[in-house]
């Protein structure tokens, strides 16, 4: 296993622990020699995981729909940033690039995230 997809959303949660744990997750991924593929944004828990991976010397692949990239939330400092047309393309590319998946509990409410 080399690359993990993380689905954790663009929100910060209602408690600082969510952002703290997101940063810890990024550090743990790098400590285990794992790369990250995620939704490509700078905001929320997903941005925190990506930043922690980058700061720890890891590789980050972001995948973001053009509509979201155009509102300036695309993370411009990643190893790779793929801008796609649709959410479906985003999820498909993330699944294609990942060897495993981590899904934050609230993301499970969006069943299409894990039903590919």
């Amino acid at each position: 296993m080399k690359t993990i997809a993380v689905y954790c959303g663009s929100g910060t949660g209602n408690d600082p622990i969510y952002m703290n744990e997101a940063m810890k997750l990024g550090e743990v991924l790098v400590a285990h020699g794992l790369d990250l593929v995620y939704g490509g944004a700078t905001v929320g828990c997903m941005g925190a995981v990506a930043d922690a991976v980058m700061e720890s010397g890891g590789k980050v692949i972001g995948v973001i729909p053009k509509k979201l990239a155009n509102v300036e939330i695309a993370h411009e400092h990643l190893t790779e940033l793929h801008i796609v047309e649709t959410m479906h393309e985003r999820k498909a590319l993330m699944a294609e690039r990942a060897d495993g998946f981590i899904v934050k509990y609230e993301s499970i409410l969006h069943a299409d995230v894990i039903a590919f």
Side-chain angles (χ1 to χ4, degrees):
M1 193 174 304
K2 180 66 177 146
T3 304
I4 301 296
V6 174
Y7 291 94
C8 61
S10 58
T12 59
N14 58 4
D15 187 310
I17 194 168
Y18 293 106
M19 292 292 282
N20 292 336
E21 293 301 314
M23 290 183 279
K24 286 182 189 174
L25 174 59
E27 294 166 359
V28 168
L29 290 173
V30 174
H32 287 86
L34 298 168
D35 297 331
L36 170 68
V37 61
Y38 84 113
T42 59
V43 296
C45 290
M46 75 164 80
V49 174
D51 288 342
V53 170
M54 295 294 290
E55 290 168 9
S56 298
K59 178 180 173 186
V60 179
I61 303 159
V63 184
I64 192 166
K66 186 186 304 183
K67 183 176 181 178
L68 294 177
N70 290 340
V71 295
E72 300 183 29
I73 65 165
H75 201 308
E76 299 292 332
H77 304 288
L78 305 176
T79 310
E80 296 176 31
L81 178 62
H82 300 271
I83 299 176
V84 296
E85 292 296 322
T86 67
M87 289 294 283
H88 178 75
E89 290 176 18
R90 177 194 215 182
K91 293 170 190 173
L93 184 54
M94 288 175 66
E96 179 183 311
R97 298 294 299 266
D99 300 309
F101 302 85
I102 297 173
V103 181
K104 182 180 162 203
Y105 176 74
E106 288 82 3
S107 297
I108 292 174
L109 297 176
H110 303 283
D112 64 317
V113 167
I114 56 172
F116 40 83

